[in-house]
Amino acid sequence: MTSTSDDDDRRLEVLGYKPSFRREFSNLATISFAFSIMGLCSSIATTLNTPLLLGGPASVTWCWLLGSCMCFTLGSSIAEIVSAFPTCGGLYTASAQLCPKSNRAVVGWIVGWLNILGQVAGLSSTEFGLANMIWAAVSISHPTFALTQGKTVGLFAGLLIVHGLLNSVATRYLAFATRGFVFVNLGATVVIIIVLLATTPRSEMHAATYVFGSQGIVNQTGGWNNGIAFLLGLLSVQWTDYDATAHISEEVRRAAYAAPTAIFIAVIGTGILGWLLNIVLMLCSGPIENLPGISGSAFLQIMVLRMGTPAALFLWSFVCLTAFFVSQTALQACSRTVYAFSRDHGEQRSLPDNGYFGHIAGSTRTPLRAIWFTTILSILPGLLDLASPIAANAIFALTAIALDTSYIIPIFLRRLYANHPEVNFRPGPFYMGPGLLGWAANVTCISWTLFVCIIFSLPTIFPVTKDNMNYASVITIGVVVLTGVWYILSAHQHYHGPTSNLDADTKARLGLVEDSQPDASSINEKEKDHTGVYLNSA
């Protein structure tokens, strides 16, 4: 294990960063982390209302399959870049290294802020969804219970503080706990599928044409044609943080292998099992006019209809537990991104914190300051719900567009500047090759992401009012404009892209080329070749 960690640390030094974390995440823990961030049954539970109540059962079934296939190309493309740049900066660090030096600052700035704000919005919306899932269970067991915004926001904030505390322990404890997440996640999904099929009489199951055919297209948008109503089902499957595993890669053993492999396996597993779960839910869903029911959750209402309240609430507790795991892993990933922003060497920082959040606590060897900054920052959108639910939902809607945009920028840059003399993409162990396979995956995922970003920007209900307007695209563009203005007016003076934090001795040993603005890619090519041979032989 020591030899493996040494190889990982040397690879990290070659990328320009000093090893700061303990590598405690094994292959199992890393795969479990990747599955946990995708949620599976909890993700379906929190988003099922959208495709079912806008496009109908056929939208639920086919959009998950279509989206999963496309997300497979996106996950593969991300995994390829993560394998080449296994740092906790993830695609933020990689994007700046995949373009010429003159563009690195702007690219790193835009991708970095899109990624971190998308992660914060995603963490906040996931935690808010978990709070609603818990109150949904209460409303089922106590139909007279009166739910208020204050109760929801209070539970939401409390859950985030709990996750902040859990993330404050040493990496070895995080890795140990994470190993079990995947078994709860997959186990709960399989059990729900089996119990639903066992408790639903054959005579009450819907016909195949309702689940897969035209009979299952139930347009309830109030204005869109059936085609658009059907495609709105994509809002469910795209709501995932694919590069989260990259952000813990400095805590992973054999990171260049384990991190991308975990992403690849999790995307496939989540896609297949999620599709089966959606099919079974639609088969057993009962009359659509009775959904989402008193709980406000179509998923829970279907379980209550078929299993009865006690059994449904018992299994629902495991669905809530998987959502708890999503938030736990999302906070860990987001805090590592904040840490990566802050640790940029010298005065060239992404955050105006003078490196405060780039500190590793000696007691835990984790970025405690970044963890609690992320926790507090993620509470703010939920608190906004007390003043304006519309504004809070608008920020939550930022997640998918911001994250997906931050993913495809480095993928596009990798192809655009493939032959540029200042860009040297050195593939990692996970590599789709220079031929048709890699190109097809990259082009497909970029085209698909641009397409779904349009879908994400459409209003879902007609007539459109200020209360049901989809503000996702407006918020995302606003974030890009504001950060762009910040960069032009001030940040360009001190931020020049992701930069090395290696000391002089390490730079000398690796053969780093010193210049007026050293960055994480300013490494002598001869030394890179030497290091590549060393790592491959190891």
Side-chain angles (χ1 to χ4, degrees):
M1 185 172 68
T2 301
S3 176
T4 300
S5 297
D6 290 343
D7 294 341
D8 284 325
D9 289 346
R10 183 169 178 82
R11 188 185 296 271
L12 184 62
E13 289 176 341
V14 168
L15 293 173
Y17 293 105
K18 178 177 66 176
S20 301
F21 294 91
R22 288 195 177 98
R23 296 186 181 273
E24 303 283 359
F25 274 75
S26 62
N27 290 342
L28 174 60
T30 307
I31 292 173
S32 183
F33 184 97
F35 267 104
S36 297
I37 197 70
M38 295 185 187
L40 190 51
C41 62
S42 63
S43 294
I44 293 175
T46 53
T47 60
L48 180 63
N49 285 11
T50 299
L52 179 60
L53 302 181
L54 293 178
S59 176
V60 174
T61 303
W62 290 115
C63 281
W64 183 275
L65 178 62
L66 174 62
S68 295
C69 292
M70 296 298 104
C71 288
F72 175 68
T73 66
L74 179 60
S76 301
S77 299
I78 291 173
E80 188 175 50
I81 293 177
V82 170
S83 183
F85 301 94
T87 76
C88 63
L91 298 184
Y92 153 67
T93 302
S95 62
Q97 308 308 324
L98 293 171
C99 62
K101 286 186 177 182
S102 60
N103 300 330
R104 282 175 187 165
V106 174
V107 169
W109 184 264
I110 293 175
V111 172
W113 279 109
L114 281 173
N115 192 265
I116 197 169
L117 292 176
Q119 285 190 71
V120 169
L123 170 58
S124 188
S125 62
T126 300
E127 203 76 272
F128 207 84
L130 174 57
N132 282 319
M133 289 169 68
I134 294 173
W135 288 128
V138 173
S139 67
I140 288 290
S141 56
H142 299 85
T144 59
F145 174 76
L147 180 61
T148 64
Q149 284 180 312
K151 292 176 181 177
T152 302
V153 172
L155 179 57
F156 154 82
L159 287 168
L160 265 171
I161 291 172
V162 169
H163 281 120
L165 291 171
L166 292 176
N167 266 282
S168 297
V169 301
T171 304
R172 65 178 179 276
Y173 300 119
L174 290 173
F176 179 79
T178 303
R179 283 186 299 180
F181 292 176
V182 65
F183 300 108
V184 176
N185 196 341
L186 300 183
T189 303
V190 171
V191 169
I192 289 171
I193 290 173
I194 293 172
V195 174
L196 278 175
L197 291 174
T199 56
T200 304
R202 182 67 179 272
S203 60
E204 296 182 15
M205 288 186 180
H206 287 292
T209 54
Y210 182 80
V211 179
F212 300 101
S214 58
Q215 186 183 344
I217 299 178
V218 183
N219 186 346
Q220 300 186 70
T221 61
W224 287 119
N225 59 42
N226 287 348
I228 297 296
F230 175 86
L231 290 173
L232 290 174
L234 295 170
L235 294 170
S236 176
V237 69
Q238 292 289 140
W239 206 269
T240 301
D241 186 359
Y242 293 100
D243 81 324
T245 309
H247 298 301
I248 66 162
S249 58
E250 292 182 31
E251 300 163 81
V252 172
R253 300 170 197 154
R254 302 177 73 247
Y257 295 85
T261 301
I263 295 172
F264 186 79
I265 293 174
V267 170
I268 294 176
T270 300
I272 294 173
L273 266 181
W275 191 48
L276 294 176
L277 177 59
N278 276 310
I279 291 173
V280 172
L281 284 168
M282 295 304 97
L283 282 171
C284 307
S285 60
I288 193 172
E289 56 269 18
N290 294 340
L291 300 174
I294 189 175
S295 67
S297 169
F299 192 110
L300 176 57
Q301 207 65 38
I302 294 170
M303 291 173 63
V304 170
L305 172 67
R306 298 309 180 189
M307 306 175 192
T309 299
L313 291 181
F314 175 74
L315 288 178
W316 185 251
S317 65
F318 289 95
V319 179
C320 291
L321 192 58
T322 62
F324 188 88
F325 295 157
V326 174
S327 297
Q328 173 71 12
T329 50
L331 177 53
Q332 184 179 351
C334 189
S335 66
R336 273 45 173 184
T337 310
V338 171
Y339 163 80
F341 265 41
S342 185
R343 77 172 173 184
D344 281 354
H345 188 65
E347 297 299 323
Q348 306 171 45
R349 302 186 187 279
S350 310
L351 292 173
D353 66 331
N354 199 30
Y356 182 79
F357 299 117
H359 175 264
I360 295 292
S363 57
T364 62
R365 292 288 295 275
T366 57
L368 291 181
R369 295 174 184 175
I371 289 169
W372 283 102
F373 172 76
T374 304
T375 301
I376 294 170
L377 187 62
S378 300
I379 289 176
L380 296 180
L383 295 179
L384 188 61
D385 188 73
L386 293 173
S388 173
I390 298 173
N393 289 331
I395 293 177
F396 293 157
L398 167 71
T399 304
I401 294 180
L403 284 178
D404 284 357
T405 305
S406 74
Y407 297 157
I408 64 171
I409 290 175
I411 297 171
F412 174 75
L413 293 176
R414 161 162 141 53
R415 293 299 180 180
L416 180 64
Y417 295 111
N419 299 317
H420 196 282
E422 293 181 1
V423 177
N424 181 38
F425 174 74
R426 187 174 296 280
F430 187 99
Y431 182 47
M432 291 184 285
L436 180 61
L437 178 63
W439 269 98
N442 294 165
V443 172
T444 300
C445 75
I446 292 172
S447 304
W448 174 255
T449 301
L450 293 174
F451 169 72
V452 295
C453 281
I454 296 173
I455 300 297
F456 292 159
S457 303
L458 299 176
T460 56
I461 298 293
F462 281 87
V464 179
T465 67
K466 64 181 180 64
D467 295 329
N468 63 24
M469 175 61 184
N470 184 351
Y471 295 97
S473 59
V474 177
I475 296 294
T476 305
I477 293 173
V479 166
V480 174
V481 170
L482 288 176
T483 54
V485 171
W486 180 9
Y487 179 81
I488 293 171
L489 295 181
S490 173
H492 74 279
Q493 299 175 9
H494 59 81
Y495 177 73
H496 303 287
T499 54
S500 173
N501 66 348
L502 297 177
D503 56 38
D505 291 340
T506 306
K507 287 181 179 180
R509 173 166 55 84
L510 293 175
L512 282 170
V513 178
E514 297 289 348
D515 57 22
S516 59
Q517 291 179 352
D519 59 43
S521 66
S522 57
I523 296 176
N524 182 280
E525 293 305 318
K526 183 177 179 181
E527 179 62 24
K528 269 190 176 181
D529 293 336
H530 170 75
T531 304
V533 172
Y534 168 81
L535 289 172
N536 290 333
S537 62

